[in-house]
Amino acid sequence: AQSVTQLGSHVSVSEGALVLLRCNYSSSVPPYLFWYVQYPNQGLQLLLKYTSAATLVKGINGFEAEFNKSQTSFHLRKPSVHISDTAEYFCAVSDRRNRDDKIIFGKGTRLHILP
Amino acid sequence: NAGVTQTPKFQVLKTGQSMTLQCAQDMNHEYMSWYRQDPGMGLRLIHYSVGAGITDQGEVPNGYNVSRSTTEDFPLRLLSAAPSQTSVYFCASSYLGRDEQYFGPGTRLTVT
């Protein structure tokens, strides 16, 4: 069964700094991987997804993530964060071999940007 | 396209009352699902559907019923509300279960 672990439930960084949000997955084969963002009082929206051979995935709002098979990781980063990036971020995984497989979400990392 | 819509946005129930949370999507997605979100627990899957007429249980199905009579609609019914069902509920849809999901804006439910 697929699973994801997000390291750090809360992360605080200063505006303009680099941020790295960590996600490790458990799967016997390379899965589909996703990062979602949830702004306060809103639903989740997709930031980026990994579904193919390209290991560096670029998403919206300047975010990117790198798929690392040997470390079973899919960490999310942004070189220079803005106050508007304050939100909760969720890593998610699904089994690419099974069309009806369900996406499994991590418990989330709350990102706080300091002015 | 409206995407995924949910009604109501907010609801307060008394213990024992029943209600239905509505969810609709206009993207012709086969897969639809309901989650609840509680602090520190992430998103937990309640029920899901891979197509009209087909539903199945997720991680936390007790106290909830679903049906899928059309591709567009996937209502969630609370049979007899309990304070433990106080949560934020999200509906989502996708082409296939393994694909990126599109989320509605959520329903904040309080059971007193």
Side-chain angles (χ1 to χ4, degrees), chain A residues 28-41:
Chain A
S28 57
V29 297
Y32 286 169
L33 290 158
F34 311 85
W35 276 100
Y36 286 83
V37 60
Q38 184 181 31
Y39 298 107
N41 300 312

Side-chain angles (χ1 to χ4, degrees), chain B:
Chain B
N1 287 352
V4 180
T5 57
Q6 291 183 240
T7 55
K9 289 193 187 312
F10 302 94
Q11 184 70 48
V12 179
L13 290 178
K14 295 187 187 304
T15 297
Q17 288 184 317
S18 63
M19 78 160 295
T20 299
L21 307 185
Q22 300 292 344
C23 174
Q25 52 92 9
D26 61 0
M27 296 173 282
N28 202 31
H29 285 165
E30 289 297 320
Y31 185 89
M32 296 186 74
S33 54
W34 276 101
Y35 296 88
R36 59 177 290 174
Q37 183 179 29
D38 302 290
M41 304 290 286
L43 289 161
R44 292 184 291 171
L45 183 65
I46 304 171
H47 284 285
Y48 66 98
S49 169
V50 298
I54 305 169
T55 64
D56 206 347
Q57 297 181 351
E59 180 184 357
V60 288
N62 291 343
Y64 308 95
N65 269 1
V66 292
S67 60
R68 183 102 178 265
S69 57
T70 67
T71 298
E72 295 76 21
D73 300 297
F74 191 44
L76 177 73
R77 281 182 287 279
L78 279 69
L79 309 173
S80 177
S84 60
Q85 293 179 304
T86 293
S87 187
V88 181
Y89 291 85
F90 290 100
C91 180
S93 73
S94 58
Y95 287 109
L96 300 172
R98 69 184 180 201
D99 293 336
E100 65 184 90
Q101 298 208 20
Y102 295 79
F103 282 82
T107 295
R108 188 172 295 273
L109 175 68
T110 302
V111 182
T112 61

